[in-house]
Amino acid sequence: MSASEQTNWQSVHDEVLRRIHTREWKPGDQIPKEVELAEQLGCARATVNRALRELAAEGFLDRRRKAGTRVSTHPVRRAKLDIPVIRLEIEGRGQKYGYGLLLSERRTPTPEVCANLGVSAKSDMLHITSLHLADRKPYMFEERWVSIDTVPEIVDADLSAISANEWLVLHAPYTKGDISFSAVLATETEAKILRTHAGAPLFLMERMTWEHDAGITAARLLFAPGYRMHSAI
Amino acid sequence: MSASEQTNWQSVHDEVLRRIHTREWKPGDQIPKEVELAEQLGCARATVNRALRELAAEGFLDRRRKAGTRVSTHPVRRAKLDIPVIRLEIEGRGQKYGYGLLLSERRTPTPEVCANLGVSAKSDMLHITSLHLADRKPYMFEERWVSIDTVPEIVDADLSAISANEWLVLHAPYTKGDISFSAVLATETEAKILRTHAGAPLFLMERMTWEHDAGITAARLLFAPGYRMHSAI
DNA sequence: AGAAATATTATGTGCAGACATATTATCTTT
DNA sequence: AAAGATAATATGTCTGCACATAATATTTCT
């Protein structure tokens, strides 16, 4: 225990984590109860509670009323994937961001979009494709459907000036969302747009959002070859 | 404000979120200070503080001392990617998990591993490849390097019975980790192992972990075609 | 006017004490 | 012995209060 220091919740957090890392407390072990730890570390129970609560949220501890607190046997590591607006992601790396609207049409959705987003086959939607550039090179190709029924204001937005995603972030916050990642091969058309060749491996991110049960948007984001998404854990 | 209900931090959280969603408070807006909200909602400031703190952690609010609390203009959505042990991921879907050790050799690392993990070129490492199966079908091919200098106990582990990852989770918790995702094409060898064809698009997950500055392991996890990683946001 | 010192203020955190709640352990009844 | 009722207990949360800290606003000095 690194004594002499001030006992705040952060130091309790670090001390408990240290004991886990040094295997003083092994996976599966029950750790002292809050009151004992508080006494041991010279602080209030509330302070210990705060620290242990954070550690549980981070996946290091399992806590249950009456049963006590144990070190996780399978620390489900939660990679905190920050999904920023593409523009900020690119600018954050010091590159120049570019954006071009390729297509914007008003039409009924494809059966696939209907099923995934849970909207009617006859609903009024905006179908948008656009290309995002980093330092003038193709970075991400976006195909998006936006429900005009749910977000009628979108028809007045100038989507050649601001990307649909950024517009939606500002004007249509969602209550529920889903995101998935996979690997696909570039088709002829996609390859042309991303300036690569058909059959190149592309990283695909699919996003859908709802406001309660009303579908807002479904997007298919295809990243140029070489893209890597990463995160600290 | 949905009155009549009990005022706990969760209900404050939900009420604030509701005001953001209904655009009563728009992105960029400053929201009432904690004392005011507490008075308004009939609870202690500490309770409001807890709610707002969570909302800030979730990315909905930006808070700064003295400056106050504002609704995020760019809610950096944090996808909470749970990275479970593969076995649990497969079993969780009700499929039968299978595991086979393909190779286990003690040797010096490749220059690439050295550079990424920050270990010496002459360090003693374990090089392991294995295949994970779901319902007897190839699911993920794993190539891994483990530093024997950092985790000497690994040489005594029976890695044909337990996967290296599971062993490490139980015996060598890390303090720092990095994970990245990308799309690659299957090589001849990889295709053979995963029972697909060369040039198939594969989802690649690369993981590295350290105990402070000592490299523990570097792993390259190649998922069979069709794999989708997904998450709620 | 511009710089430096000072005051103000909203959030951040700590504390003690109380009660709520989920879960386990124990006792009672059949 | 099995089932049901009851007690015990560790965590979960709320409260009121105090002081810390960072950032802004204001005043003072040159």
Side-chain angles (χ1 to χ4, degrees):
Chain A
M1 177 173 30
S2 48
S4 83
E5 286 171 36
Q6 182 194 194
T7 343
N8 49 24
W9 74 265
Q10 203 114 327
S11 69
V12 174
H13 174 282
D14 292 351
E15 170 59 19
V16 170
L17 202 48
R18 192 191 63 76
R19 292 191 191 179
I20 294 174
H21 283 145
T22 58
R23 307 183 57 65
E24 186 174 329
W25 293 337
K26 300 194 186 64
D29 281 5
Q30 186 157 27
I31 76 171
K33 59 185 83 162
E34 292 185 350
V35 262
E36 287 174 21
L37 264 179
E39 204 173 333
Q40 208 178 113
L41 302 175
C43 63
R45 184 172 82 92
T47 307
V48 172
N49 182 279
R50 168 92 190 255
L52 298 188
R53 178 155 38 83
E54 301 262 337
L55 282 162
E58 291 167 62
F60 293 107
L61 297 176
D62 291 326
R63 320 191 71 201
R64 268 166 56 226
R65 278 171 171 161
K66 166 79 185 181
T69 303
R70 317 185 149 265
V71 180
S72 295
T73 46
H74 287 292
V76 174
R77 292 306 196 133
R78 292 183 182 81
K80 292 170 208 87
L81 268 191
D82 286 355
I83 319 264
V85 169
I86 294 290
R87 177 173 61 78
L88 298 177
E89 179 179 330
I90 291 171
E91 290 175 349
R93 278 204 304 268
Q95 295 183 293
K96 184 170 157 47
Y97 174 70
Y99 165 76
L101 182 64
L102 303 180
L103 170 143
S104 174
E105 55 170 358
R106 200 161 165 168
R107 50 161 296 190
T108 53
T110 63
E112 203 198 337
V113 172
C114 286
N116 290 335
L117 205 55
V119 294
S120 133
K122 288 177 296 189
S123 60
D124 194 11
M125 296 197 85
L126 203 60
H127 182 216
I128 306 156
T129 60
S130 62
L131 184 64
H132 301 254
L133 311 159
D135 280 346
R136 303 192 178 280
K137 287 199 293 281
Y139 184 79
M140 188 266 279
F141 169 56
E142 168 180 347
E143 185 193 359
R144 183 183 289 269
W145 293 83
V146 183
S147 165
I148 297 177
D149 297 329
T150 310
V151 197
E153 306 86 359
I154 185 97
V155 295
D156 298 321
D158 178 11
L159 296 179
S160 58
I162 182 175
S163 79
N165 183 41
E166 288 203 49
W167 188 91
L168 287 167
V169 162
L170 289 173
H171 299 88
Y174 54 88
T175 53
K176 200 172 64 173
D178 194 275
I179 190 163
S180 79
F181 310 90
S182 53
V184 296
L185 297 184
T187 64
E188 278 291 351
T189 323
E190 290 159 357
K192 216 169 195 172
I193 294 170
L194 287 170
R195 272 189 236 142
T196 179
H197 53 88
L202 301 181
F203 188 84
L204 170 64
M205 185 184 301
E206 288 168 292
R207 299 178 61 173
M208 286 187 288
T209 61
W210 293 266
E211 189 193 343
H212 299 106
D213 282 328
I216 297 176
T217 189
R220 208 166 160 275
L221 314 179
L222 270 175
F223 290 82
Y227 178 79
R228 282 178 71 174
M229 179 173 81
H230 78 112
S231 156
I233 46 177
Chain B
M1 174 175 29
S2 50
S4 83
E5 284 171 38
Q6 182 194 196
T7 345
N8 50 25
W9 75 265
Q10 203 115 326
S11 70
V12 174
H13 174 281
D14 292 351
E15 170 59 18
V16 171
L17 203 49
R18 193 190 64 75
R19 293 190 190 180
I20 294 173
H21 282 146
T22 59
R23 308 183 58 62
E24 187 175 329
W25 294 337
K26 300 193 186 65
D29 282 4
Q30 186 157 28
I31 77 171
K33 57 186 85 162
E34 292 184 351
V35 262
E36 288 173 21
L37 265 179
E39 204 173 333
Q40 208 178 112
L41 301 175
C43 63
R45 184 173 81 92
T47 308
V48 172
N49 182 280
R50 169 89 191 260
L52 298 189
R53 178 155 39 83
E54 301 263 336
L55 283 162
E58 291 167 61
F60 293 107
L61 297 176
D62 291 326
R63 321 191 71 202
R64 269 166 57 224
R65 278 172 170 158
K66 164 82 183 178
T69 302
R70 313 183 152 268
V71 180
S72 296
T73 46
H74 287 291
V76 174
R77 293 304 196 134
R78 294 186 181 78
K80 293 169 212 93
L81 269 190
D82 284 357
I83 318 265
V85 168
I86 294 290
R87 177 173 61 79
L88 298 177
E89 179 179 327
I90 291 171
E91 290 175 349
R93 278 203 305 268
Q95 295 183 292
K96 186 170 155 49
Y97 173 71
Y99 165 77
L101 182 63
L102 303 181
L103 171 144
S104 175
E105 55 171 359
R106 201 163 167 166
R107 49 161 296 191
T108 53
T110 63
E112 204 198 336
V113 171
C114 285
N116 290 335
L117 205 56
V119 295
S120 134
K122 288 177 296 189
S123 60
D124 194 9
M125 296 196 84
L126 203 60
H127 181 218
I128 305 155
T129 61
S130 62
L131 184 64
H132 302 253
L133 311 159
D135 280 346
R136 302 193 180 280
K137 287 198 293 283
Y139 184 80
M140 188 266 280
F141 169 56
E142 168 181 347
E143 184 193 0
R144 183 183 288 270
W145 292 83
V146 182
S147 166
I148 297 176
D149 296 331
T150 310
V151 197
E153 306 87 359
I154 185 94
V155 296
D156 299 320
D158 178 11
L159 296 179
S160 58
I162 182 175
S163 79
N165 182 42
E166 288 203 49
W167 189 90
L168 286 167
V169 162
L170 289 173
H171 300 86
Y174 53 89
T175 54
K176 200 174 62 174
D178 194 275
I179 189 162
S180 79
F181 310 91
S182 54
V184 295
L185 297 183
T187 64
E188 278 291 352
T189 324
E190 290 159 358
K192 214 168 196 171
I193 293 170
L194 287 169
R195 272 188 236 142
T196 178
H197 52 89
L202 302 182
F203 187 85
L204 170 63
M205 186 185 298
E206 289 168 291
R207 301 178 61 172
M208 285 186 290
T209 60
W210 293 266
E211 189 193 344
H212 298 104
D213 283 328
I216 296 176
T217 189
R220 207 167 162 273
L221 314 180
L222 270 175
F223 290 81
Y227 178 78
R228 282 178 71 175
M229 178 173 81
H230 78 111
S231 155
I233 46 178

